[in-house]
């Protein structure tokens, strides 16, 4: 039987951040993930904003963790080589009713200890964002709202945790949790039993099902879908900040912002649904985004869409972010309600969970050889011509452009495949180096990436999946 000290269930932003934090200590940690890759579920289909917490419910755990996490990202992104920009958000008011709500929003920001929120006049807002609706009567500027590459963030947490000794069991589902005399003893998985004295439930949408395994399901999770458009990098109407609507009682509303790679992101919707797997986009959902965002940015051109996607927020019923531990079940930590700010708060959640373990008796001694830095894959397209020339001379595979839209070379794809926790399927390559993320969405590079993956993994193209097991790309030769 496999033995460890801690099992973390789920390799999303939160599970990987927890694993990275625990890898600072002399303990054995295994992350068990049912999918074929690290990256999570909600963690790879969100707005990719690192929030300040200005609008969180004051006094809640969520407010504390988001507000604490935001300032961590300057150092974290630098140490882990994660694309991150502090572009700031604006909250423009288009009607008198919206304008009248601004003082309350600023007051709430103060209650959350977010003091750097500023009033702006309509003219100032239009100067910051010339494509804004000229009706703008004024608004708020929140300078530390930021954007990040969500895929790289999670990979970076995972790779760095791995470099510090954490094991990852992918394609492995937790099916049961064992306890004796009120103490966790391990987990059952599709890959065999694991003996452990701590289990940390970071299973996002499925955290209620994990909690049921130990009789601690005091809530359920209802998926809240958010649909988005991604617009082409050269769409005619762009913004430089995160442009947010004034929230209503029901929803935070739909925004427009640049992604870290220069596309425009427009959305999301907020639709509760019974299914935890239905990630379809719908004509009605997308139409509602266009209608609402046009109030803010009238010339937004959704005809420049290169793709649409949706993500499912793990919405806890009853609501609220919880980190629960119980006296009658020692060794079990249950996270729930990591709904709309989990990408941001992951950085603080890692530390919070480690502290919970320390406070509840885990014997954890800090390592003196923790590796804090992680180096990402070289981005050929971001280098100067001179730097590119040097690389091509060193390794001619940098001279073979596979993805024309994003200028991704064969050498980068090989790096994605062969690094620790490397890519084993098409989406895993895409999320590491962006091959297939551009205007043609893999139309040109897809077959080449498939061939490279098969060649490097020593299998047939028919054996390569799009993402999870069985989602193969091709079924055989046609001629
Ligand atoms: C539309 C939308 C927009 C959002 N925008 C933002 C934003 O701008 N900023 C922000 O900070 N947050 C945002 N969020 C919220 C954020 O994405 C989530 O809170 C966060 O990603 C949750 O991370 P997680 O690791 O808890 O869950 P997940 O990413 O869902 O990961 C959970 C993992 O657990 C695994 N798992 C589940 N059950 C099992 C099992 N039995 N065995 C093994 N593994 C299992 C799953 O496969 C999954 O990989 C948004 C979310 C959505 C959907």
């Amino acid at each position: 039987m496999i033995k460890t000290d801690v099992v973390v269930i789920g390799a999303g932003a939160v599970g990987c951040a927890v694993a990275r934090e625990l890898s600072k200590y002399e303990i054995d940690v295994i992350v068990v993930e049912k999918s074929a890759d690290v990256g999570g579920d909600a963690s790879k289909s969100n707005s990719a904003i690192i929030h300040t917490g200005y609008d969180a419910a004051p006094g809640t755990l969520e407010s504390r963790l988001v507000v604490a996490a935001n300032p961590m990202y300057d150092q974290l992104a630098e140490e882990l080589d994660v694309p991150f920009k502090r572009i700031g958000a604006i909250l423009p008011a288009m009607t008198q009713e919206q304008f009248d709500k601004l003082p309350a929003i600023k007051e709430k920001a103060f209650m959350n200890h977010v003091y750097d929120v500023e009033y702006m006049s309509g003219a100032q807002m239009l100067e910051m964002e010339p494509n804004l609706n000229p009706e703008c009567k004024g608004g708020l500027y929140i300078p530390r709202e930021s954007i990040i590459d969500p895929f790289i963030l999670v990979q970076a947490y995972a790779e760095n945790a791995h470099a510090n000794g954490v094991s990852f069991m992918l394609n492995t589902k937790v099916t049961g949790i064992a306890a004796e005399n009120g103490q966790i003893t391990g987990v059952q998985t599709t890959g065999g039993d694991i003996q452990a004295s701590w289990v940390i439930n970071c299973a996002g949408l499925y955290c209620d099902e994990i909690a049921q395994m130990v009789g601690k399901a005091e809530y359920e999770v209802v998926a809240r879908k958010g649909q988005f458009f991604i617009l082409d990098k050269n769409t005619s109407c762009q913004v430089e900040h995160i442009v947010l609507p004034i929230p209503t009682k029901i929803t935070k509303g739909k925004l427009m912002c640049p992604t870290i790679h220069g596309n425009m992101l427009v959305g999301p919707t907020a639709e509760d649904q019974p299914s935890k797997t239905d990630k379809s986009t719908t004509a009605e959902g997308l139409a509602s985004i266009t209608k609402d965002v046009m109030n803010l940015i009238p010339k937004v051109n959704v005809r420049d869409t290169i793709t649409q996607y949706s993500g499912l927020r793990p919405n806890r019923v009853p609501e609220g972010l919880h980190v629960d531990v119980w006296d009658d079940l020692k060794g079990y930590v249950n996270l729930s309600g990591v709904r709309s700010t989990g990408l941001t708060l992951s950085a603080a959640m890692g530390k919070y969970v480690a502290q919970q373990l320390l406070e509840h008796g885990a014997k954890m001694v800090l390592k003196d050889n923790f590796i804090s830095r992680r180096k990402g894959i070289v981005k050929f397209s971001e280098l100067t011509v001179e730097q590119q020339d040097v690389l091509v001379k060193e390794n001619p595979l940098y001279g073979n452009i596979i993805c024309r839209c994003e200028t991704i070379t064969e050498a980068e794809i090989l790096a994605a495949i062969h690094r620790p926790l490397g890519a084993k399927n098409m989406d895993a390559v895409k999320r590491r180096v962006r091959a297939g993320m551009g205007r043609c969405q893999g139309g040109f590079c897809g077959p080449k990436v498939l061939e490279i993956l098969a060649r490097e993994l020593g299998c047939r193209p028919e054996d390569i999946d799009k993402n999870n097991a069985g989602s193969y790309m091709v079924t055989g030769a046609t001629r």
Side-chain angles (χ1 to χ4, degrees):
M1 186 189 305
I2 306 164
K3 287 187 186 168
T4 187
D5 297 308
V6 184
V7 168
V8 176
I9 307 174
V14 173
C16 291
V18 167
R20 179 190 188 235
E21 193 60 30
L22 294 180
S23 75
K24 294 178 179 171
Y25 297 86
E26 298 282 1
I27 45 167
D28 293 333
V29 180
I30 298 180
V31 179
V32 183
E33 168 55 54
K34 67 180 168 135
S35 302
D37 193 12
V38 299
D41 201 341
S43 303
K44 57 181 190 261
S45 44
N46 49 55
S47 311
I49 295 171
I50 296 302
H51 297 292
T52 53
Y54 77 95
D55 61 344
T60 57
L61 178 62
E62 183 178 19
S63 156
R64 277 160 52 204
L65 293 183
V66 174
V67 172
N70 181 290
M72 293 179 190
Y73 279 89
D74 299 294
Q75 186 183 342
L76 190 68
E78 197 270 321
E79 277 183 355
L80 296 184
D81 202 5
V82 181
F84 168 73
K85 268 191 208 157
R86 291 211 178 274
I87 60 172
I90 60 168
L91 209 70
M94 300 302 170
T95 63
Q96 190 57 42
E97 192 192 344
Q98 290 178 353
F99 189 78
D100 292 343
K101 287 185 175 170
L102 297 179
I105 297 173
K106 190 158 186 267
E107 202 179 305
K108 194 176 187 185
F110 266 64
M111 289 164 78
N112 285 313
H113 308 285
V114 180
Y115 295 129
D116 51 353
V117 175
E118 301 284 350
Y119 281 116
M120 295 274 159
S121 68
Q124 283 171 316
M125 290 247 127
L126 277 154
E127 201 176 316
M128 290 174 85
E129 280 302 343
N131 281 319
L132 205 58
N133 185 341
E135 301 275 300
C136 179
K137 299 193 168 357
L140 294 173
Y141 172 46
I142 309 137
R144 284 181 297 112
E145 291 279 311
S146 311
I147 53 173
I148 199 160
D149 184 322
F151 313 122
I152 303 286
L153 175 66
V154 186
Q155 288 156 22
Y157 281 141
E159 288 177 11
N160 188 239
H162 184 265
N164 286 294
V166 173
S167 306
F168 284 77
M169 289 173 66
L170 301 177
N171 286 312
T172 308
K173 184 174 177 180
V174 171
T175 52
I177 298 177
E180 270 171 35
N181 305 322
Q183 165 66 54
I184 288 291
T185 54
V187 296
Q188 289 114 34
T189 80
T190 50
D193 292 353
I194 305 173
Q195 190 179 314
S197 41
W198 289 90
V199 170
I200 305 170
N201 174 6
C202 303
L205 272 177
Y206 298 91
C207 69
D208 52 349
E209 294 176 18
I210 300 290
Q212 277 164 17
M213 294 175 188
V214 287
K216 296 292 184 191
E218 293 157 357
Y219 61 92
E220 62 175 322
V221 178
V222 177
R224 182 168 292 171
K225 183 187 276 183
Q227 306 185 36
F228 294 92
F229 290 105
I230 298 264
L231 309 188
D232 196 13
K233 285 181 181 169
N234 60 11
T235 184
S236 51
C237 173
Q238 311 220 356
V239 292
E240 288 183 9
H241 302 83
I242 303 159
V243 182
L244 302 164
I246 306 284
T248 66
K249 274 193 183 132
I250 301 162
T251 167
K252 276 192 194 180
K254 300 164 185 103
L255 59 88
M256 176 162 172
C257 69
T259 70
I260 195 81
H261 298 286
N263 296 90
M264 289 293 130
L265 180 69
V266 191
T269 55
E271 309 154 73
D272 286 358
Q273 62 178 36
S275 167
K276 289 184 179 180
T277 52
D278 174 5
K279 291 191 187 163
S280 56
T281 52
T282 62
E284 306 79 59
L286 295 170
S288 77
I289 297 173
T290 311
K291 179 172 163 283
D292 289 2
V293 172
M294 281 177 85
N295 287 330
L296 297 170
I297 313 285
K299 290 187 191 147
V300 58
N301 191 354
V302 294
R303 287 178 172 230
D304 287 335
T305 297
I306 59 168
T307 190
Q308 300 134 4
Y309 67 93
S310 80
L312 303 179
R313 304 171 185 88
N315 179 38
R316 186 187 194 276
V317 182
E319 269 195 20
L321 175 71
H322 289 249
V323 177
D324 290 314
V325 289
W326 289 270
D327 286 340
D328 63 353
L329 188 59
K330 296 198 170 35
Y332 181 69
V333 184
N334 195 74
L335 278 59
S336 61
V338 191
R339 188 189 68 193
S340 306
T341 52
L343 197 67
T344 305
L345 63 76
S346 60
M349 184 62 98
K351 294 185 184 299
Y352 187 85
V353 168
Q355 189 62 23
Q356 290 294 315
L357 263 65
L358 283 166
E359 285 173 12
H360 289 84
K363 293 188 178 43
M364 302 188 347
V365 178
L366 275 172
K367 284 178 186 162
D368 53 15
N369 59 349
F370 174 70
I371 304 159
S372 63
R373 303 187 79 80
R374 167 248 177 211
K375 192 79 201 98
I377 298 169
V378 169
K379 295 180 199 72
F380 185 80
S381 64
E382 292 176 10
L383 302 178
T384 63
V385 175
E386 291 74 27
Q387 289 168 326
Q388 291 180 339
D389 193 40
V390 171
L391 273 189
V392 174
K393 283 190 179 124
E394 275 172 15
N395 178 357
L397 294 182
Y398 278 108
N400 186 16
I401 307 291
I402 300 293
C403 169
R404 286 190 261 166
C405 303
E406 298 289 309
T407 320
I408 310 299
T409 63
E410 185 170 354
E412 290 165 271
I413 294 172
L414 293 199
I417 296 170
H418 292 302
R419 61 199 279 122
L421 299 177
K424 302 272 183 296
N425 59 49
M426 299 291 287
D427 284 357
V429 169
K430 181 165 86 171
R431 295 196 179 104
R432 280 166 180 75
V433 292
R434 292 185 59 76
M437 286 262 192
R439 179 183 288 178
C440 88
Q441 289 288 297
F444 284 102
C445 68
K448 289 185 182 175
V449 173
L450 185 68
E451 270 176 27
I452 295 171
L453 266 167
R455 184 188 76 206
E456 295 300 314
L457 299 178
C459 60
R460 302 171 309 159
E462 295 93 305
D463 300 326
I464 298 294
D465 290 314
K466 179 175 184 324
N467 39 55
N468 286 322
S471 62
Y472 37 76
M473 297 290 293
V474 290
T475 53
T478 49
R479 55 188 167 119

